[in-house]
Each structure stands twice: as C-alpha cells, then as structure tokens.
Amino acid sequence: MFKRAFIIAGTFALAAIPALAETKIAIGTPPIAEVEAAFVAKDEGLFDKNGLNIEFLPTGSNQTLVAALVAGSHQIVAVSPTVLLQAVDSGIDLVVVANCGVTAPRTAKNVGLAVREGAAIDKPEDLVGKKVGTPSIGGTLDILFRQWLKQKKVSDKSITFIEVPIPNTADVLKGGTIDAIIAGQPSLGRAVSQSNGKVAFHFMSELPADLPYTTFVATRDWAKANTATIASFRTAFAQAADFIGKNPDRTREIVSKYTRLPVEVLSKIELPECKPVPTVAALDYLEKAMQDGGMLSGKIDTAGLIAP
C-alpha cells in the first residue's frame, strides 16, 4: 500500500577522471517543493560536478515506483517515509540514501487543517464525529496528523478519514462532503478561500522537527554495490541544501521550473527546510507512529534502513 511516492533517476560516474565511463541512474521526482534538493542539484550542475549524469523521469504511483526499483529499471526512487516503511514491512529490502524536505518550525504554516464554512471546529475535540479529508490513508501527513490528535487526546477512531487526491482538495471541501481536510500549500490556501473557511490548526508546529516528508531510497543490494555513487549523490545533495539556504529566490525559480507552480505562489510560502542526512531518530518516530496505528505488521530495524 504505497500511497504517496515519487521517482528519481540519474547517472553516476564513480571516478574523478572525466574520461571514465559513467553509470546511468534514472530519477523520477514528484512536482513538489519537498524534493527541491534534487531540482537544484540538477539545474545548478551539482550532480555533474560530482560525476553524476542525472535524468529525471516522469513520476508514477507509489506502487509503480517501488516496483520499478525492485525490477532494476530505476536505481533510486523518492518516496514518503511511510511508503518506505510499508514496503520494508512487506518484505522489500530497501535502504535510505538521503532526505530532502523535513518538518521545521519555520515551515509549520505550510501545512494545516482547512475547515469549510459552517463546520464548527475550533478545538481538537470538535473533530469528533467529523469527516476529514487526507491526501492518503497511511501517508506522511496522515500519520503526522494522527500523532497530533494523540497528543491532544482525541482518538483518530472517532473521526471518519476520507482519501482526497491533492488536486481535488479545494473542490471537495467547497462541496461540503467533508468538514475539513489535511493539506499543504498551495492547496491549503486554495481550499480555505474557495470554501470561505479557515485554517483551524497548523498542527505541524506541535510535532517534532526534522521528520522527512520524502526519502530517497534504493534496494540494499544496489546500495552495497554502489557505495561510491551514493557518496557522490549525498555530496551533491549537501551542496544543494547549502545553495537553497543562501539563494531562496533562485531556488524558487528552479522549483517553479520543475513543479510548474508560479513563482508568485511560491514566494508566498516558506521553502521547505532541506536536511539531506537521514536519521534513525526520525525513522523511529514514524515507525512507532505506524505501529501504534496498526499500519505495520512487525517491528522494523530502523537503524539498518540507512545506507552506509
């Protein structure tokens, strides 16, 4: 059940000598700002500078991405950490190569619960008995919202969750078939304005920082055979993260190019916090949250999920 995923592909050269043959790597990225490091590394030539020849491929469903990775047609794919954990739980041996966008206080208002006009939701307990839209049951935002409910001592079982594709966020809330919806910008703002509603809770502000929205993963076998390639990929991502921090305007232009979101829209929201280095602590948090929600069948060795 891989609900929210992305494809990443590229081409890596292992040696510092330009004349050596390059190893091709296909990368498919979703059109979202949370994978900004990949966009920046491609557009600013950081992959090239590290001996990597990268080509982005069209994205598919999460199931398609994981299947493509296992089949060997892709070497690295970008999926949400919940998709990673579900895949590992089902017996697919994957490891994390890098992160990109992570939760942070600075970006907390990029995500929230939009409430339609007429729905009396002012405090967490008002959600009991309500219908709440979610981008995907078991997806990262869904899991994090349920963790917030747990902190507020509101049972997620008292709420009816309904999957709503991101492009339909505003229309469904405006139509009144749901009372509220979990969304990130710019969908969050559109949903509020079109339904004459409000953002009831910026729930991310009360959750831990540095939890990844996306994880770049590979099969364990491929990772073992390509340690130098992974090192180069991580170096390019680290350089991209540094660039993003120093060049927000240029980063917005690059993100706009790859996501087709207008720069004017991107200028009104905070760029995602980019921290490429994966951590066991973040995977532990998400693994426990999914265990608590009955979304995993067994315990996962999170320390073993990070590629060396």
Side-chain angles (χ1 to χ4, degrees), residues 33-36 81 98-108 110-111 140 144 204 208-215 270-279 282 286:
E34 282 73 21
V35 294
E36 59 190 342
N99 292 334
C100 186
V102 299
T103 58
R106 178 179 63 80
T107 63
N110 283 355
V111 177
T140 301
L144 292 178
M204 298 299 292
D210 299 336
L211 301 175
Y213 289 111
T214 55
T215 49
E270 292 284 350
L271 285 171
E273 188 80 9
C274 185
K275 292 191 177 181
V277 179
T279 67
L286 293 166

mmCIF file of all heavy atoms in Angstrom, residues 33-36 81 98-108 110-111 140 144 204 208-215 270-279 282 286:
data_model
loop_
_atom_site.group_PDB
_atom_site.id
_atom_site.type_symbol
_atom_site.label_atom_id
_atom_site.label_comp_id
_atom_site.label_asym_id
_atom_site.label_seq_id
_atom_site.Cartn_x
_atom_site.Cartn_y
_atom_site.Cartn_z
ATOM 1 N N ALA A 33 7.753 20.907 -3.838
ATOM 2 C CA ALA A 33 8.940 21.629 -3.368
ATOM 3 C C ALA A 33 9.766 20.808 -2.385
ATOM 4 O O ALA A 33 10.950 21.092 -2.193
ATOM 5 C CB ALA A 33 8.512 22.943 -2.710
ATOM 6 N N GLU A 34 9.162 19.781 -1.767
ATOM 7 C CA GLU A 34 9.893 18.995 -0.761
ATOM 8 C C GLU A 34 11.066 18.212 -1.346
ATOM 9 O O GLU A 34 11.889 17.697 -0.583
ATOM 10 C CB GLU A 34 8.932 18.042 -0.042
ATOM 11 C CG GLU A 34 8.072 18.710 1.021
ATOM 12 C CD GLU A 34 6.980 19.582 0.433
ATOM 13 O OE1 GLU A 34 6.614 19.397 -0.751
ATOM 14 O OE2 GLU A 34 6.484 20.479 1.153
ATOM 15 N N VAL A 35 11.152 18.117 -2.664
ATOM 16 C CA VAL A 35 12.309 17.456 -3.276
ATOM 17 C C VAL A 35 13.203 18.492 -3.958
ATOM 18 O O VAL A 35 13.897 18.206 -4.928
ATOM 19 C CB VAL A 35 11.890 16.348 -4.265
ATOM 20 C CG1 VAL A 35 11.198 15.224 -3.536
ATOM 21 C CG2 VAL A 35 10.987 16.898 -5.363
ATOM 22 N N GLU A 36 13.203 19.703 -3.426
ATOM 23 C CA GLU A 36 13.931 20.819 -4.022
ATOM 24 C C GLU A 36 15.416 20.547 -4.213
ATOM 25 O O GLU A 36 16.032 21.049 -5.162
ATOM 26 C CB GLU A 36 13.750 22.076 -3.168
ATOM 27 C CG GLU A 36 14.242 21.897 -1.737
ATOM 28 C CD GLU A 36 13.874 23.033 -0.803
ATOM 29 O OE1 GLU A 36 13.533 24.129 -1.287
ATOM 30 O OE2 GLU A 36 13.939 22.826 0.417
ATOM 31 N N PRO A 81 8.422 8.558 3.701
ATOM 32 C CA PRO A 81 8.952 7.570 4.646
ATOM 33 C C PRO A 81 7.930 6.512 5.040
ATOM 34 O O PRO A 81 8.297 5.377 5.355
ATOM 35 C CB PRO A 81 9.384 8.420 5.852
ATOM 36 C CG PRO A 81 8.650 9.706 5.710
ATOM 37 C CD PRO A 81 8.491 9.924 4.246
ATOM 38 N N ALA A 98 19.125 9.352 1.104
ATOM 39 C CA ALA A 98 19.127 10.753 1.533
ATOM 40 C C ALA A 98 17.706 11.211 1.811
ATOM 41 O O ALA A 98 16.739 10.546 1.444
ATOM 42 C CB ALA A 98 19.762 11.639 0.464
ATOM 43 N N ASN A 99 17.595 12.350 2.462
ATOM 44 C CA ASN A 99 16.328 13.047 2.655
ATOM 45 C C ASN A 99 16.357 14.323 1.842
ATOM 46 O O ASN A 99 17.355 14.650 1.208
ATOM 47 C CB ASN A 99 16.131 13.454 4.117
ATOM 48 C CG ASN A 99 15.939 12.292 5.058
ATOM 49 O OD1 ASN A 99 15.482 11.229 4.667
ATOM 50 N ND2 ASN A 99 16.292 12.497 6.305
ATOM 51 N N CYS A 100 15.280 15.080 1.953
ATOM 52 C CA CYS A 100 15.290 16.453 1.460
ATOM 53 C C CYS A 100 14.450 17.286 2.417
ATOM 54 O O CYS A 100 14.895 17.600 3.502
ATOM 55 C CB CYS A 100 14.795 16.558 0.026
ATOM 56 S SG CYS A 100 14.970 18.231 -0.627
ATOM 57 N N GLY A 101 13.199 17.595 2.042
ATOM 58 C CA GLY A 101 12.363 18.408 2.904
ATOM 59 C C GLY A 101 12.028 17.711 4.211
ATOM 60 O O GLY A 101 11.650 16.545 4.224
ATOM 61 N N VAL A 102 12.180 18.451 5.331
ATOM 62 C CA VAL A 102 11.852 17.909 6.653
ATOM 63 C C VAL A 102 10.981 18.904 7.405
ATOM 64 O O VAL A 102 10.921 20.090 7.070
ATOM 65 C CB VAL A 102 13.125 17.611 7.472
ATOM 66 C CG1 VAL A 102 14.000 16.577 6.784
ATOM 67 C CG2 VAL A 102 13.918 18.890 7.741
ATOM 68 N N THR A 103 10.311 18.414 8.435
ATOM 69 C CA THR A 103 9.495 19.287 9.265
ATOM 70 C C THR A 103 10.391 20.272 10.009
ATOM 71 O O THR A 103 11.504 19.950 10.402
ATOM 72 C CB THR A 103 8.677 18.476 10.276
ATOM 73 O OG1 THR A 103 9.572 17.701 11.098
ATOM 74 C CG2 THR A 103 7.720 17.534 9.579
ATOM 75 N N ALA A 104 9.864 21.481 10.204
ATOM 76 C CA ALA A 104 10.638 22.525 10.884
ATOM 77 C C ALA A 104 9.692 23.619 11.365
ATOM 78 O O ALA A 104 8.676 23.890 10.711
ATOM 79 C CB ALA A 104 11.683 23.125 9.957
ATOM 80 N N PRO A 105 9.994 24.276 12.489
ATOM 81 C CA PRO A 105 9.142 25.371 12.966
ATOM 82 C C PRO A 105 8.945 26.472 11.924
ATOM 83 O O PRO A 105 7.856 27.032 11.800
ATOM 84 C CB PRO A 105 9.905 25.895 14.186
ATOM 85 C CG PRO A 105 10.693 24.727 14.673
ATOM 86 C CD PRO A 105 11.098 23.983 13.435
ATOM 87 N N ARG A 106 9.992 26.738 11.162
ATOM 88 C CA ARG A 106 9.936 27.810 10.162
ATOM 89 C C ARG A 106 8.869 27.544 9.098
ATOM 90 O O ARG A 106 8.274 28.479 8.549
ATOM 91 C CB ARG A 106 11.313 27.974 9.511
ATOM 92 C CG ARG A 106 11.371 29.028 8.408
ATOM 93 C CD ARG A 106 12.771 29.142 7.829
ATOM 94 N NE ARG A 106 13.203 27.921 7.183
ATOM 95 C CZ ARG A 106 12.858 27.546 5.951
ATOM 96 N NH1 ARG A 106 12.042 28.305 5.235
ATOM 97 N NH2 ARG A 106 13.316 26.430 5.422
ATOM 98 N N THR A 107 8.644 26.279 8.791
ATOM 99 C CA THR A 107 7.726 25.926 7.706
ATOM 100 C C THR A 107 6.396 25.363 8.200
ATOM 101 O O THR A 107 5.602 24.847 7.407
ATOM 102 C CB THR A 107 8.388 24.898 6.775
ATOM 103 O OG1 THR A 107 8.657 23.698 7.517
ATOM 104 C CG2 THR A 107 9.675 25.443 6.189
ATOM 105 N N ALA A 108 6.148 25.449 9.494
ATOM 106 C CA ALA A 108 4.956 24.812 10.075
ATOM 107 C C ALA A 108 3.656 25.304 9.444
ATOM 108 O O ALA A 108 2.691 24.544 9.300
ATOM 109 C CB ALA A 108 4.921 25.036 11.585
ATOM 110 N N ASN A 110 3.090 25.949 6.464
ATOM 111 C CA ASN A 110 2.880 25.422 5.104
ATOM 112 C C ASN A 110 1.875 24.277 5.085
ATOM 113 O O ASN A 110 1.401 23.881 4.016
ATOM 114 C CB ASN A 110 4.199 24.914 4.517
ATOM 115 C CG ASN A 110 5.104 26.049 4.044
ATOM 116 O OD1 ASN A 110 4.717 27.208 4.063
ATOM 117 N ND2 ASN A 110 6.309 25.708 3.631
ATOM 118 N N VAL A 111 1.581 23.727 6.260
ATOM 119 C CA VAL A 111 0.662 22.592 6.376
ATOM 120 C C VAL A 111 -0.391 22.919 7.431
ATOM 121 O O VAL A 111 -0.097 23.589 8.427
ATOM 122 C CB VAL A 111 1.417 21.305 6.783
ATOM 123 C CG1 VAL A 111 0.448 20.139 6.966
ATOM 124 C CG2 VAL A 111 2.479 20.963 5.749
ATOM 125 N N THR A 140 2.389 10.292 4.892
ATOM 126 C CA THR A 140 3.136 11.035 5.911
ATOM 127 C C THR A 140 2.278 12.072 6.620
ATOM 128 O O THR A 140 2.246 12.122 7.855
ATOM 129 C CB THR A 140 4.369 11.709 5.286
ATOM 130 O OG1 THR A 140 5.204 10.705 4.695
ATOM 131 C CG2 THR A 140 5.174 12.453 6.350
ATOM 132 N N LEU A 144 1.199 11.990 10.583
ATOM 133 C CA LEU A 144 1.583 13.076 11.483
ATOM 134 C C LEU A 144 0.362 13.751 12.101
ATOM 135 O O LEU A 144 0.387 14.125 13.273
ATOM 136 C CB LEU A 144 2.436 14.097 10.735
ATOM 137 C CG LEU A 144 3.818 13.599 10.309
ATOM 138 C CD1 LEU A 144 4.555 14.671 9.525
ATOM 139 C CD2 LEU A 144 4.650 13.158 11.521
ATOM 140 N N MET A 204 1.504 21.013 12.503
ATOM 141 C CA MET A 204 2.918 20.677 12.408
ATOM 142 C C MET A 204 3.764 21.438 13.421
ATOM 143 O O MET A 204 4.845 20.996 13.790
ATOM 144 C CB MET A 204 3.431 20.969 10.995
ATOM 145 C CG MET A 204 2.750 20.168 9.901
ATOM 146 S SD MET A 204 2.962 18.388 10.079
ATOM 147 C CE MET A 204 4.695 18.244 9.751
ATOM 148 N N PRO A 208 7.511 17.056 16.264
ATOM 149 C CA PRO A 208 8.973 17.156 16.243
ATOM 150 C C PRO A 208 9.510 17.693 14.916
ATOM 151 O O PRO A 208 8.907 17.505 13.861
ATOM 152 C CB PRO A 208 9.427 15.705 16.457
ATOM 153 C CG PRO A 208 8.283 15.041 17.132
ATOM 154 C CD PRO A 208 7.055 15.691 16.577
ATOM 155 N N ALA A 209 10.650 18.355 15.001
ATOM 156 C CA ALA A 209 11.325 18.835 13.798
ATOM 157 C C ALA A 209 12.156 17.709 13.187
ATOM 158 O O ALA A 209 12.390 16.671 13.816
ATOM 159 C CB ALA A 209 12.232 20.016 14.150
ATOM 160 N N ASP A 210 12.560 17.910 11.942
ATOM 161 C CA ASP A 210 13.486 17.029 11.221
ATOM 162 C C ASP A 210 12.895 15.672 10.837
ATOM 163 O O ASP A 210 13.633 14.716 10.590
ATOM 164 C CB ASP A 210 14.780 16.815 12.030
ATOM 165 C CG ASP A 210 15.523 18.114 12.273
ATOM 166 O OD1 ASP A 210 15.327 19.060 11.474
ATOM 167 O OD2 ASP A 210 16.295 18.196 13.243
ATOM 168 N N LEU A 211 11.562 15.594 10.756
ATOM 169 C CA LEU A 211 10.932 14.379 10.221
ATOM 170 C C LEU A 211 10.826 14.546 8.710
ATOM 171 O O LEU A 211 10.300 15.557 8.227
ATOM 172 C CB LEU A 211 9.536 14.179 10.822
ATOM 173 C CG LEU A 211 9.462 14.059 12.347
ATOM 174 C CD1 LEU A 211 7.998 13.997 12.785
ATOM 175 C CD2 LEU A 211 10.223 12.844 12.835
ATOM 176 N N PRO A 212 11.314 13.596 7.918
ATOM 177 C CA PRO A 212 11.325 13.779 6.466
ATOM 178 C C PRO A 212 9.947 13.638 5.828
ATOM 179 O O PRO A 212 9.164 12.772 6.197
ATOM 180 C CB PRO A 212 12.259 12.657 5.991
ATOM 181 C CG PRO A 212 12.107 11.580 7.030
ATOM 182 C CD PRO A 212 11.929 12.317 8.334
ATOM 183 N N TYR A 213 9.668 14.510 4.872
ATOM 184 C CA TYR A 213 8.477 14.358 4.043
ATOM 185 C C TYR A 213 8.749 13.354 2.929
ATOM 186 O O TYR A 213 7.833 12.683 2.455
ATOM 187 C CB TYR A 213 8.085 15.697 3.411
ATOM 188 C CG TYR A 213 7.527 16.699 4.382
ATOM 189 C CD1 TYR A 213 8.234 17.842 4.721
ATOM 190 C CD2 TYR A 213 6.272 16.512 4.955
ATOM 191 C CE1 TYR A 213 7.718 18.780 5.611
ATOM 192 C CE2 TYR A 213 5.741 17.433 5.850
ATOM 193 C CZ TYR A 213 6.467 18.569 6.172
ATOM 194 O OH TYR A 213 5.950 19.479 7.056
ATOM 195 N N THR A 214 10.008 13.289 2.498
ATOM 196 C CA THR A 214 10.398 12.355 1.440
ATOM 197 C C THR A 214 11.708 11.678 1.791
ATOM 198 O O THR A 214 12.560 12.258 2.462
ATOM 199 C CB THR A 214 10.580 13.068 0.080
ATOM 200 O OG1 THR A 214 11.517 14.140 0.246
ATOM 201 C CG2 THR A 214 9.277 13.607 -0.449
ATOM 202 N N THR A 215 11.861 10.440 1.336
ATOM 203 C CA THR A 215 13.121 9.724 1.488
ATOM 204 C C THR A 215 13.539 9.187 0.127
ATOM 205 O O THR A 215 12.721 8.656 -0.614
ATOM 206 C CB THR A 215 12.985 8.546 2.478
ATOM 207 O OG1 THR A 215 11.822 7.770 2.128
ATOM 208 C CG2 THR A 215 12.872 9.030 3.912
ATOM 209 N N GLU A 270 6.907 29.446 2.718
ATOM 210 C CA GLU A 270 8.285 29.167 3.097
ATOM 211 C C GLU A 270 8.816 27.987 2.288
ATOM 212 O O GLU A 270 8.131 26.968 2.143
ATOM 213 C CB GLU A 270 8.370 28.836 4.588
ATOM 214 C CG GLU A 270 8.069 30.004 5.515
ATOM 215 C CD GLU A 270 9.221 30.989 5.598
ATOM 216 O OE1 GLU A 270 10.314 30.681 5.093
ATOM 217 O OE2 GLU A 270 9.009 32.073 6.174
ATOM 218 N N LEU A 271 10.034 28.122 1.776
ATOM 219 C CA LEU A 271 10.662 26.975 1.137
ATOM 220 C C LEU A 271 10.880 25.879 2.169
ATOM 221 O O LEU A 271 11.191 26.165 3.332
ATOM 222 C CB LEU A 271 12.014 27.378 0.543
ATOM 223 C CG LEU A 271 11.988 28.204 -0.745
ATOM 224 C CD1 LEU A 271 13.399 28.689 -1.063
ATOM 225 C CD2 LEU A 271 11.429 27.395 -1.903
ATOM 226 N N PRO A 272 10.708 24.612 1.793
ATOM 227 C CA PRO A 272 10.930 23.525 2.750
ATOM 228 C C PRO A 272 12.333 23.565 3.352
ATOM 229 O O PRO A 272 13.289 23.970 2.688
ATOM 230 C CB PRO A 272 10.733 22.261 1.898
ATOM 231 C CG PRO A 272 9.839 22.698 0.794
ATOM 232 C CD PRO A 272 10.233 24.113 0.485
ATOM 233 N N GLU A 273 12.428 23.184 4.595
ATOM 234 C CA GLU A 273 13.727 23.032 5.256
ATOM 235 C C GLU A 273 14.396 21.795 4.665
ATOM 236 O O GLU A 273 13.825 20.703 4.684
ATOM 237 C CB GLU A 273 13.524 22.840 6.759
ATOM 238 C CG GLU A 273 14.789 22.871 7.570
ATOM 239 C CD GLU A 273 15.290 24.274 7.839
ATOM 240 O OE1 GLU A 273 14.558 25.244 7.532
ATOM 241 O OE2 GLU A 273 16.404 24.400 8.355
ATOM 242 N N CYS A 274 15.584 21.960 4.113
ATOM 243 C CA CYS A 274 16.255 20.845 3.451
ATOM 244 C C CYS A 274 17.408 20.318 4.299
ATOM 245 O O CYS A 274 18.407 21.002 4.499
ATOM 246 C CB CYS A 274 16.767 21.289 2.082
ATOM 247 S SG CYS A 274 17.490 19.945 1.121
ATOM 248 N N LYS A 275 17.243 19.102 4.818
ATOM 249 C CA LYS A 275 18.298 18.425 5.581
ATOM 250 C C LYS A 275 18.490 17.041 4.976
ATOM 251 O O LYS A 275 17.706 16.132 5.227
ATOM 252 C CB LYS A 275 17.935 18.349 7.062
ATOM 253 C CG LYS A 275 17.925 19.714 7.747
ATOM 254 C CD LYS A 275 17.820 19.589 9.257
ATOM 255 C CE LYS A 275 17.892 20.965 9.911
ATOM 256 N NZ LYS A 275 17.809 20.858 11.401
ATOM 257 N N PRO A 276 19.543 16.881 4.167
ATOM 258 C CA PRO A 276 19.696 15.644 3.385
ATOM 259 C C PRO A 276 20.079 14.402 4.183
ATOM 260 O O PRO A 276 19.865 13.291 3.699
ATOM 261 C CB PRO A 276 20.824 16.001 2.401
ATOM 262 C CG PRO A 276 20.937 17.487 2.427
ATOM 263 C CD PRO A 276 20.537 17.893 3.790
ATOM 264 N N VAL A 277 20.654 14.568 5.361
ATOM 265 C CA VAL A 277 21.176 13.406 6.091
ATOM 266 C C VAL A 277 20.052 12.690 6.833
ATOM 267 O O VAL A 277 19.409 13.267 7.719
ATOM 268 C CB VAL A 277 22.272 13.824 7.088
ATOM 269 C CG1 VAL A 277 22.794 12.605 7.845
ATOM 270 C CG2 VAL A 277 23.418 14.529 6.354
ATOM 271 N N PRO A 278 19.773 11.424 6.510
ATOM 272 C CA PRO A 278 18.723 10.676 7.211
ATOM 273 C C PRO A 278 19.153 10.327 8.633
ATOM 274 O O PRO A 278 20.344 10.163 8.900
ATOM 275 C CB PRO A 278 18.558 9.420 6.356
ATOM 276 C CG PRO A 278 19.867 9.245 5.655
ATOM 277 C CD PRO A 278 20.416 10.630 5.445
ATOM 278 N N THR A 279 18.190 10.238 9.544
ATOM 279 C CA THR A 279 18.493 9.904 10.930
ATOM 280 C C THR A 279 17.633 8.744 11.415
ATOM 281 O O THR A 279 16.478 8.596 10.999
ATOM 282 C CB THR A 279 18.266 11.107 11.872
ATOM 283 O OG1 THR A 279 16.857 11.412 11.922
ATOM 284 C CG2 THR A 279 19.031 12.338 11.400
ATOM 285 N N ALA A 282 14.383 9.976 13.383
ATOM 286 C CA ALA A 282 13.203 10.317 12.592
ATOM 287 C C ALA A 282 12.468 9.062 12.132
ATOM 288 O O ALA A 282 11.236 8.984 12.202
ATOM 289 C CB ALA A 282 13.611 11.164 11.387
ATOM 290 N N LEU A 286 8.488 7.737 13.149
ATOM 291 C CA LEU A 286 7.470 7.370 12.175
ATOM 292 C C LEU A 286 7.102 5.890 12.261
ATOM 293 O O LEU A 286 5.928 5.520 12.129
ATOM 294 C CB LEU A 286 7.956 7.724 10.769
ATOM 295 C CG LEU A 286 8.099 9.232 10.520
ATOM 296 C CD1 LEU A 286 8.905 9.498 9.261
ATOM 297 C CD2 LEU A 286 6.735 9.894 10.426
#
